[in-house]
Amino acid sequence: MIVMSNDCFSVPNRLRELLHRWDAEGRRPQGEIGWNRRTWLASLTEHQDLLAELPDRLGRDHVTERGRRADEGENEAVRAFVTAMVWGYGRVGYGAFRTARVLRENDEAPRILREVASKTRRDGGAEAFEWLKRHRLRYLGVSFASKYLFFCSDAAASPALVLDRRVQRWLWQYAACHVSLDWNVEDYRRYLCLVTKWAQDLDLRPDEVEYLMFADDGSQRRAAEDVSEESDEFAVLDALDEAAAAFAALPGDIDPDDLEDFERGVRQLRRIVLARGFARREPEQ
């Protein structure tokens, strides 16, 4: 369940500051992402042709072009997925292994990737996210699944936006709202509504708002790693999200009642952590 303060839907002052700074810099797009070609070629030998033709530094435009073709066939969907994962992981060493594991340990991966790409373009991000939750690919979490949906989406429909830990942290720090990364459909739907409203208020595209949040969190964390009460809250929230994702990915069939009980317990624990955070933020009377 998403937790928001009463003024969560108002454009955060921090976002207005970021936009002002971005305007002053000429609205430079996100830089291209470097990646280790050798590592990916070693892990995904069956995709050597695709990996060989990717540029040394991968930009959003190139990945978007792949994503637009993901609904044309299962091979195109897999190629779009691999490209999105290369962009998403960048130089992270285990990215190639994790991507290969998703494709090799889910027999239905090509079909599911194609179908969810079609749904994203046809019905929008929220509906595609909900469908993918019902047809979940083992070892693919929300952060990287939403990256794939983003590159497959059509701007004319309801957008699909990236929801990862950077965006999650930014929303909590500057908008006093927490969205989970454990396949909570309502959280993702409201996240899209929230960012879309901010984009309308600022005369931006929703993906531009998401990029500003993402880039700001990265620069803040590079500038200073806080060891504060707030960072402690994030550590607990991250641990809860990881526990929920790990439970859902356990091998074998999970009893629906057990899954519901587990997710209910995680939600209760999350509410306790967030309540402590909100209480600490309340000004003294």
Side-chain angles (χ1 to χ4, degrees), residues 192-204:
L192 295 182
C193 290
L194 179 68
V195 174
T196 298
K197 183 181 184 302
W198 289 349
Q200 292 171 346
D201 291 346
L202 296 174
D203 195 26
L204 294 172

Side-chain angles (χ1 to χ4, degrees), residues 10 18 21 28 47 71 137 159 182 220 248 278:
S10 300
L18 294 173
R21 186 186 309 166
R28 290 183 297 180
H47 297 290
D71 62 341
L137 292 172
D182 62 352
Q220 291 290 321
F278 284 129

Side-chain angles (χ1 to χ4, degrees), residues 104-122:
R104 291 169 185 166
E105 299 195 21
N106 292 277
D107 293 339
E108 293 292 301
R111 179 187 64 81
I112 290 173
L113 290 171
R114 181 191 180 185
E115 291 191 20
V116 78
S118 298
K119 193 162 189 64
T120 306
R121 295 184 65 80
R122 183 179 65 248

Side-chain angles (χ1 to χ4, degrees), residues 133 182 240 243-244 247-248 254-271:
K133 177 183 179 179
D182 62 352
L240 291 174
F247 184 79
I254 299 176
D255 187 293
D257 291 337
D258 290 343
L259 181 59
E260 183 179 349
D261 289 344
F262 188 91
E263 291 181 344
R264 184 185 301 112
V266 169
R267 288 196 297 270
Q268 290 173 344
L269 291 171
R270 187 179 292 117
R271 280 196 291 269

